[in-house]
Amino acid sequence: MQEYAGAMQELAKSIAGVLVTNMGVKRGLWEDDCNAGTCFLRLNRYPPCPISPEVFGLVPHTDSDFLTILHQDEHVGGLQLMKDSKWVAVKPNPDALVVNIGDLFQAWSNDVYKSVEHKVTVNREAERHSIAYFLCPSYESFIGCCKEESSIYKKFTFGEYRSQIQHDVKDYGHKVGLPRFLVST
């Protein structure tokens, strides 16, 4: 698991580096904040469910990290992404990984890159597994736009963001997320 997590960290930083470079921004502004002690790996198991169309494995959400790398089950689908106001199934491919932009990258990029809403449905007959790697900074790390003079988001720490999400879930039953950190006009 440690070897896999280390490889995913290197891959995540490489992908993020390409996205940062494509924006014309110098690398290294945040990469040191995302390390083996702040990022994490999640092993997911979704047992079969006879009433599957009515049951979520994961409710619709966006990821609250910089980016997520997902290795899907090779045979059992279930991941769906929101595209053009419709849920689209992501067909499992044993030779591919799924990369999701997270909320922090959306804020950092000033909405150039968007955090993708997604959910997981369960299968009626088959168990599903996945492995997700989350590229996260420390809770003390400040998240601000890479071009601060035109930022649409207030500067915030990852800890403040995670705390706000916990309050949102408690108060509303779901994450409100980035809109709470928009700069007032």
Side-chain angles (χ1 to χ4, degrees):
M1 283 288 120
Q2 288 178 331
E3 186 177 320
Y4 184 88
M8 289 299 101
Q9 180 166 351
E10 292 306 311
L11 179 60
K13 284 187 169 187
S14 178
I15 292 168
V18 169
L19 296 172
V20 167
T21 301
N22 284 344
M23 289 184 56
V25 177
K26 185 179 175 185
R27 289 184 69 161
L29 294 176
W30 56 268
E31 288 134 329
D32 291 339
D33 291 335
C34 299
N35 59 54
T38 61
C39 302
F40 64 97
L41 192 65
R42 179 181 293 153
L43 307 175
N44 300 305
R45 175 184 172 260
Y46 306 96
C49 181
I51 55 171
S52 67
E54 303 164 23
V55 177
F56 290 116
L58 281 174
V59 296
H61 67 285
T62 57
D63 292 338
S64 57
D65 57 354
F66 273 108
L67 61 84
T68 305
I69 300 176
L70 180 74
H71 180 258
Q72 288 199 82
D73 189 293
E74 295 179 7
H75 307 287
V76 181
L79 176 63
Q80 296 182 3
L81 306 177
M82 180 61 73
K83 183 178 180 190
D84 300 325
S85 300
K86 295 179 185 168
W87 289 109
V88 178
V90 178
K91 185 179 176 183
N93 180 341
D95 298 321
L97 298 169
V98 176
V99 178
N100 287 341
I101 299 294
D103 297 342
L104 300 184
F105 217 127
Q106 180 173 330
W108 185 85
S109 73
N110 213 31
D111 282 1
V112 170
Y113 297 113
K114 299 282 189 166
S115 186
V116 62
E117 185 178 13
H118 55 285
K119 66 181 180 178
V120 176
T121 59
V122 294
N123 187 287
R124 193 177 293 268
E125 299 163 0
E127 186 168 272
R128 178 181 187 271
H129 297 92
S130 66
I131 304 171
Y133 180 81
F134 299 89
L135 183 66
C136 300
S138 70
Y139 273 49
E140 298 78 30
S141 296
F142 278 97
I143 309 302
C145 178
C146 60
K147 299 175 182 175
E148 290 188 32
E149 67 280 355
S150 60
S151 181
I152 60 174
Y153 296 100
K154 300 173 192 172
K155 200 170 188 178
F156 56 92
T157 67
F158 184 46
E160 289 171 330
Y161 189 60
R162 292 294 299 166
S163 178
Q164 184 60 58
I165 289 169
Q166 290 171 352
H167 289 293
D168 290 347
V169 170
K170 182 180 174 188
D171 294 343
Y172 305 108
H174 61 87
K175 173 174 98 169
V176 174
L178 284 177
R180 292 204 181 279
F181 292 91
L182 286 169
V183 173
S184 300
T185 55

